[in-house]
Amino acid sequence: MEQFVSADRTLSVCRRLCYAAGHFLNDLCASMWFTYLLVYLHSVLSFQSTYAGVMLLIGQIADGVCTPLVGYESDRTTGICGKRKTWHLLGTVCVLVCFPFIFNPCLACDENTPQWAQLVYFTPFIIIFQFGWAATQISHLSLIPELVSRVSDKVELTAYRYAFTVVANITVYTVAWLLFHFQAQHSVDPSITDNLGQVDIPLFRMLALIMLGTGALFSLIFHVGTKEDVSAPGTHDQLITSSPSQEVLPRPVFQWKHWLKEPSFYQMAFLYMCTRLIVNLSQTYISVYLTNSLMLPKNFIAIIPLVMYISGFVCSLAMKPLSKLIGINMTYLIGLLLVLGFATWVFVDENMGAESIYGAAVLLGAGSATVLVMSLSMTATLIGEQTQSGAFVYGSMSFTDKVANGVGVILIQSTRPCSTEACCPACVWFYRDVMVTVTGGVALAAALCLFTILIWPIRIRKS
């Protein structure tokens, strides 16, 4: 009998690091996008809450639409330097060109320009940036099952990738804290030190430019140090012949439409959507929660996210041995319990002070890191050896999370008690409830989905 088996594919530590560097630019921009965009639009550019929500929604919808399309095209095209790396390069160029305009005021506007006109100005830059971000993300994720074959290696490579994500976020928040610190040293007005306003426009512009320069360097490292296999799909498979008279039994090759018939595809889509809602919405509203609910000085919007991602980085180092010991599903459950611990702490401690928020931030950072890495590892496990359609799977997963995040933000912004940049007393409780809901509420939904996965494990059931 003849059958196809898979040849083990592994990477050296150097190549793992070069691969992980490929998403660094995306991670830097995503950190600024989710953590600072709303607070920048509200408190610095004085946008109404609805307009600010619409801008973020436009970005999420554009990203959500682009991800499955990029995934489909990435699977079927060859490219000039490999089908994945070609799309990665295209996405990188789009991000570098358009992102600086997002964290910079409208160049053709003045103080009398209506906000809807400024929204029209920003929209093309947001759409092209999100297309580039999606192209980079999907092509980078799709390389995981192509570069390594063992489940433990996929978890480890995903952990490397997330470690760079954590480093990227730490970089953003450290530079932001330094910029706030230097601003405070050269300011004699205490209100400038504590409160966000138009005086902070140069600060956010400088932060964006520093991140783009740093990210471009890491993208270059990725393209130089990562070698994509440009051979035809299926060359990783080897024939084992036990009898020359027996008929060859090839492993079925999945196309994009075959995934739509797989129950596990929808299980993972929902779980990944919940995971990203926890990570992205908590990152989006943590800054507003700190400034409007806890009334902390503006430098805390750099310090607390920094604490979160340092704890996430430390946690990511233990993910491979822990997942080997108790399995990916149980490790994901531990992450959910940490997130629920944060939500409970925020809900119970109504007068959380500057000291308590550090402990809560550690729980959220560790929990978010765990669920994100494990969900990506589950997705890579689902794809398995079907790497020829892996980009479509990652694109579809990303589509669910981007649309859900965009809808979530616009719902929150539209129900905000006050529509102007100034925060009314009702906002104090509003943003606390938002943090509890987007962490604890969504974590419970993810736990229900995880329960179905424990009963019906993630795998391809139909051929």
Side-chain angles (χ1 to χ4, degrees), residues 286 338-347 357 360-361 363-364 435 439:
I286 187 69
L338 293 173
V339 173
L340 285 170
F342 166 83
T344 304
W345 194 339
V346 171
F347 181 76
I357 191 61
L363 288 180
L364 181 59
M435 289 302 298
T439 54

Side-chain angles (χ1 to χ4, degrees), residues 25 36 78 84-85 87 89 101 233 297 380:
L25 173 62
Y36 294 136
T78 56
R84 309 305 185 194
K85 289 180 65 177
W87 281 93
L89 180 61
F101 292 94

Side-chain angles (χ1 to χ4, degrees), residues 5 7 21 28 32 50 69 82 85 134 150 188 193 195 218 240 305 329 331 380:
V5 297
L28 292 171
M32 287 197 63
T50 304
L69 296 178
K85 289 180 65 177
R150 290 196 296 261
V188 295
T193 304
N195 303 315
F218 278 81
I240 294 181
N329 294 339
T331 307

Side-chain angles (χ1 to χ4, degrees), residues 399-454:
F399 172 78
T400 62
D401 100 74
K402 299 300 168 45
V403 174
N405 273 290
V407 172
V409 167
I410 198 64
L411 288 176
I412 293 171
Q413 292 300 107
S414 62
T415 56
R416 186 174 184 259
C418 46
S419 60
T420 61
E421 73 278 3
C423 189
C424 65
C427 288
V428 174
W429 299 108
F430 176 75
Y431 285 116
R432 189 207 69 163
D433 294 341
V434 166
M435 289 302 298
V436 172
T437 302
V438 301
T439 54
V442 180
L444 291 176
L448 292 176
C449 183
L450 182 65
F451 179 72
T452 69
I453 292 176
L454 294 175

Side-chain angles (χ1 to χ4, degrees), residues 215-421:
L217 176 61
F218 278 81
S219 295
L220 178 62
I221 294 173
F222 163 77
H223 279 277
V224 172
T226 302
K227 307 300 180 184
E228 180 182 353
D229 188 354
V230 295
S231 57
T235 55
H236 294 301
D237 297 330
Q238 297 176 336
L239 269 176
I240 294 181
T241 305
S242 58
S243 174
S245 62
Q246 293 288 337
E247 183 181 359
V248 175
L249 296 177
R251 175 171 50 85
V253 176
F254 263 46
Q255 298 177 5
W256 68 270
K257 58 186 178 182
H258 296 138
W259 289 108
L260 301 180
K261 302 177 182 179
E262 283 295 330
S264 292
F265 177 82
Y266 297 99
Q267 286 177 291
M268 272 311 309
F270 185 80
L271 188 72
Y272 186 75
M273 179 189 72
C274 291
T275 301
R276 279 297 186 178
L277 281 173
I278 294 171
V279 175
N280 292 344
L281 288 184
S282 63
Q283 188 177 4
T284 299
Y285 284 98
I286 187 69
S287 296
V288 192
Y289 170 67
L290 293 171
T291 55
N292 291 349
S293 294
L294 302 185
M295 307 297 182
L296 296 173
K298 66 183 181 182
N299 63 325
F300 271 80
I301 69 175
I303 297 173
I304 297 304
L306 181 61
V307 171
M308 288 170 52
Y309 278 93
I310 290 176
S311 66
F313 178 75
V314 174
C315 186
S316 67
L317 300 178
M319 286 184 195
K320 183 181 179 180
L322 184 62
S323 63
K324 271 190 171 182
L325 180 65
I326 64 176
I328 293 178
N329 294 339
M330 289 297 99
T331 307
Y332 185 93
L333 179 59
I334 290 175
L336 286 182
L337 293 177
L338 293 173
V339 173
L340 285 170
F342 166 83
T344 304
W345 194 339
V346 171
F347 181 76
V348 172
D349 193 353
E350 297 181 355
N351 299 314
M352 182 178 291
E355 298 79 13
S356 299
I357 191 61
Y358 286 103
V362 169
L363 288 180
L364 181 59
S368 298
T370 303
V371 296
L372 182 56
V373 171
M374 291 301 106
S375 65
L376 289 172
S377 300
M378 290 181 195
T379 307
T381 301
L382 173 63
I383 294 171
E385 293 301 317
Q386 302 292 346
T387 58
Q388 71 287 334
S389 56
F392 172 78
V393 176
Y394 282 117
S396 300
M397 302 295 148
S398 189
F399 172 78
T400 62
D401 100 74
K402 299 300 168 45
V403 174
N405 273 290
V407 172
V409 167
I410 198 64
L411 288 176
I412 293 171
Q413 292 300 107
S414 62
T415 56
R416 186 174 184 259
C418 46
S419 60
T420 61
E421 73 278 3

Side-chain angles (χ1 to χ4, degrees), residues 49 81 86 95 114 123 187 210 331 351 461:
S49 60
C81 55
T86 298
V95 170
T123 296
S187 174
I210 293 174
T331 307
N351 299 314
R461 294 186 173 89

Side-chain angles (χ1 to χ4, degrees), residues 90-275:
L90 174 62
T92 299
V93 172
C94 291
V95 170
L96 291 174
V97 170
C98 292
F99 191 73
F101 292 94
I102 297 175
F103 279 91
N104 198 54
C106 173
L107 298 179
C109 304
D110 56 31
E111 58 183 11
N112 297 320
T113 303
Q115 290 188 1
W116 67 263
Q118 298 185 53
L119 177 64
V120 172
Y121 167 84
F122 282 113
T123 296
F125 298 113
I126 291 175
I127 292 175
I128 298 174
F129 158 68
Q130 292 291 0
F131 165 78
W133 201 97
T136 304
Q137 179 202 32
I138 298 306
S139 57
H140 194 255
L141 281 172
S142 303
L143 280 171
I144 294 178
E146 295 187 7
L147 294 175
V148 294
S149 56
R150 290 196 296 261
V151 173
S152 60
D153 288 336
K154 292 174 183 177
V155 173
E156 185 175 24
L157 199 57
T158 306
Y160 268 84
R161 185 179 184 274
Y162 184 76
F164 269 76
T165 299
V166 172
V167 173
N169 283 273
I170 290 174
T171 302
V172 170
Y173 303 135
T174 301
V175 174
W177 178 81
L178 289 173
L179 291 175
F180 282 128
H181 179 71
F182 293 149
Q183 182 193 60
Q185 281 190 329
H186 295 85
S187 174
V188 295
D189 187 352
S191 64
I192 294 178
T193 304
D194 294 337
N195 303 315
L196 289 167
Q198 289 190 352
V199 69
D200 296 304
I201 289 176
L203 187 148
F204 282 99
R205 182 194 299 124
M206 179 61 66
L207 180 62
L209 293 176
I210 293 174
M211 294 306 105
L212 288 175
T214 306
L217 176 61
F218 278 81
S219 295
L220 178 62
I221 294 173
F222 163 77
H223 279 277
V224 172
T226 302
K227 307 300 180 184
E228 180 182 353
D229 188 354
V230 295
S231 57
T235 55
H236 294 301
D237 297 330
Q238 297 176 336
L239 269 176
I240 294 181
T241 305
S242 58
S243 174
S245 62
Q246 293 288 337
E247 183 181 359
V248 175
L249 296 177
R251 175 171 50 85
V253 176
F254 263 46
Q255 298 177 5
W256 68 270
K257 58 186 178 182
H258 296 138
W259 289 108
L260 301 180
K261 302 177 182 179
E262 283 295 330
S264 292
F265 177 82
Y266 297 99
Q267 286 177 291
M268 272 311 309
F270 185 80
L271 188 72
Y272 186 75
M273 179 189 72
C274 291
T275 301

